[in-house]
Amino acid sequence: MSQDKKPYISVVIPVLNEEENLLELQERLVFTLSKMGKPYEIIYVNDGSTDGTQKILEKIHHTWPNVKVIEFTYNCGQHLAILKGFEKSSGEIVVTIDADLQNPPEEIPKLIQKIEEGYHVVGTFRKNRKDSIFRRIPSYLANIITSYLTGVKLKDYGCMLRAYRREIVDYINMCSDTSTFIPVLANIFTKRIAEVEVEHEERKRGKTKYSLFKLLRLNFDIVTNFSIFPIQFIGFIGVIIAVLGLMFAIFLFIRRLVVGPEVEGIFTLFAILFFFIGVQILALGIIGEYIGRIYMEVKKRPRYVVKKELL
Ligand code: UDP
Ligand code: MG
């Protein structure tokens, strides 16, 4: 229906090894979107899948007219996949959704409606989130830290069912960050953000693509990519410790004059020493993290490598 018209809604979907979910997703998306009666496009970004994903996506591309497929040569990460989809999108409203059907596509109209009310970004939070405790704890911590660092308090930064106005997507497209987290990036450009509650389903097929390590990495990325808070915090701690150390030295000196030299002070000294060593190693680690990032940037390696585009 909407082949030639400029799309009003673009749906961007990052896909990593989701062959079992794609057909159901596509059918439910088409059903929901065509009911809305506006022209739309669906953009799948295959993030280096090694299963039958690409084959199924190509079939979908040939069956439905308004489907674009972009294939990455290797796995570049969910957020870079979405960025590529953003670049190729042209809708007035751009929606991101996971391919695993944990976010029901039927919720999309709710988001569109919120955007039409005048918000620039609409996030979602998951009602009765159906994930394991090991998946929820890091998310919980990430939400607190991210809310604090970015100054935008959201209940659920991790839920990728989101909608953005065209201009926000255009701003995001101007950024050249290599490790990024889109919901946070979007917050930089607007404060008109709404959050709506959506259903969340268990993953019926396939398994999560986020190992604990990949999750930690992502959270670390959020903190270091969007702020220099850790480095400032360490500097601050350093100053406090230096002042305390100095006061302690003065105290020991006065004590020596009044009470006489300490006899068994060796262990106190060790304790203090270990503390200092610990702080130094931590500081080194954090500095290293930033230097690592600078290194990645100066290498100017492409953020992603596209193998195939079906537009
Ligand atoms: N994904 C991706 N690249 C990755 C990891 C994930 O494109 O490196 C996709 C994945 O196929 C899914 C979405 O991102 O569509 C969310 O991933 P997943 O459901 O595994 O994450 P979780 O729900 O456990 O947070
Ligand atoms: Mg999921």
Side-chain angles (χ1 to χ4, degrees):
M1 118 194 158
S2 38
Q3 200 171 10
D4 308 319
K5 272 192 263 165
K6 190 178 174 308
Y8 177 66
I9 302 168
S10 300
V11 181
V12 172
I13 311 166
V15 191
L16 176 62
N17 299 335
E18 306 277 3
E19 58 182 357
E20 309 101 317
N21 296 316
L22 289 171
L23 276 175
E24 183 183 337
L25 173 72
Q26 171 68 14
E27 276 165 7
R28 284 169 63 182
L29 271 175
V30 168
F31 184 73
T32 308
L33 292 169
S34 41
K35 261 202 313 198
M36 299 187 71
K38 297 263 174 66
Y40 64 87
E41 64 179 352
I42 301 173
I43 304 172
Y44 291 97
V45 185
N46 177 0
D47 186 13
S49 300
T50 49
D51 65 353
T53 291
Q54 182 62 20
K55 242 185 160 167
I56 297 173
L57 287 179
E58 291 187 13
K59 210 171 103 197
I60 292 177
H61 171 78
H62 290 116
T63 314
W64 281 273
N66 36 10
V67 173
K68 295 179 178 172
V69 175
I70 295 139
E71 184 189 11
F72 282 176
T73 306
Y74 55 90
N75 179 234
C76 303
Q78 182 185 0
H79 289 262
L80 288 183
I82 295 175
L83 284 183
K84 187 71 208 173
F86 277 2
E87 261 177 39
K88 294 289 169 191
S89 72
S90 55
E92 275 310 303
I93 300 174
V94 182
V95 175
T96 60
I97 188 169
D98 287 351
D100 59 356
L101 293 167
Q102 286 195 276
N103 314 128
E106 291 74 26
E107 302 276 15
I108 291 177
K110 240 198 241 176
L111 277 77
I112 304 285
Q113 195 197 340
K114 267 276 172 227
I115 292 269
E116 285 171 343
E117 279 173 27
Y119 290 99
H120 290 161
V121 173
V122 177
T124 51
F125 57 95
R126 295 166 271 200
K127 188 154 73 185
N128 320 314
R129 182 166 173 190
K130 306 259 177 40
D131 276 321
S132 75
I133 188 88
F134 297 107
R135 188 64 191 74
R136 291 206 312 264
I137 290 175
S139 297
Y140 176 74
L141 293 177
N143 281 330
I144 296 179
I145 298 173
T146 315
S147 292
Y148 175 73
L149 285 180
T150 57
V152 184
K153 208 171 162 340
L154 292 187
K155 287 199 189 113
D156 194 351
Y157 267 100
C159 189
M160 292 306 291
L161 174 57
R162 306 177 87 83
Y164 306 85
R165 229 167 223 299
R166 176 84 248 154
E167 64 231 58
I168 302 297
V169 171
D170 288 339
Y171 292 142
I172 291 178
N173 285 344
M174 287 178 209
C175 300
S176 54
D177 307 34
T178 42
S179 47
T180 194
F181 195 82
I182 292 161
V184 180
L185 194 58
N187 289 350
I188 296 173
F189 302 114
T190 179
K191 295 290 169 256
R192 298 183 68 182
I193 302 166
E195 254 189 324
V196 295
E197 190 176 58
V198 292
E199 292 291 337
H200 192 239
E201 316 241 321
E202 246 165 88
R203 211 181 222 283
K204 274 183 264 170
R205 291 169 290 233
K207 51 180 195 295
T208 176
K209 306 299 178 300
Y210 281 99
S211 61
L212 193 61
F213 180 72
K214 208 165 160 183
L215 265 182
L216 279 178
R217 204 46 265 163
L218 193 68
N219 287 339
F220 217 89
D221 274 354
I222 297 176
V223 174
T224 47
N225 197 37
F226 291 98
S227 81
I228 51 166
F229 173 76
I231 229 164
Q232 288 169 334
F233 182 70
I234 286 295
F236 178 67
I237 297 267
V239 172
I240 291 184
I241 288 173
V243 170
L244 285 180
L246 193 69
M247 277 161 55
F248 192 57
I250 294 172
F251 166 76
L252 282 183
F253 180 69
I254 296 175
R255 191 176 178 277
R256 198 189 164 96
L257 291 183
V258 182
V259 191
E262 212 183 355
V263 193
E264 284 169 15
I266 186 86
F267 290 107
T268 330
L269 250 172
F270 261 113
I272 296 168
L273 195 67
F274 278 132
F275 180 64
F276 277 104
I277 290 174
V279 171
Q280 275 182 357
I281 292 175
L282 185 64
L284 265 181
I286 288 176
I287 293 170
E289 184 66 28
Y290 281 97
I291 292 179
R293 253 155 220 292
I294 296 171
Y295 174 63
M296 298 301 273
E297 291 291 339
V298 296
K299 267 198 302 195
K300 286 255 174 282
R301 196 188 272 172
R303 293 193 294 173
Y304 35 68
V305 182
V306 175
K307 187 167 162 192
K308 195 167 187 179
E309 282 186 4
L310 299 169
L311 303 175

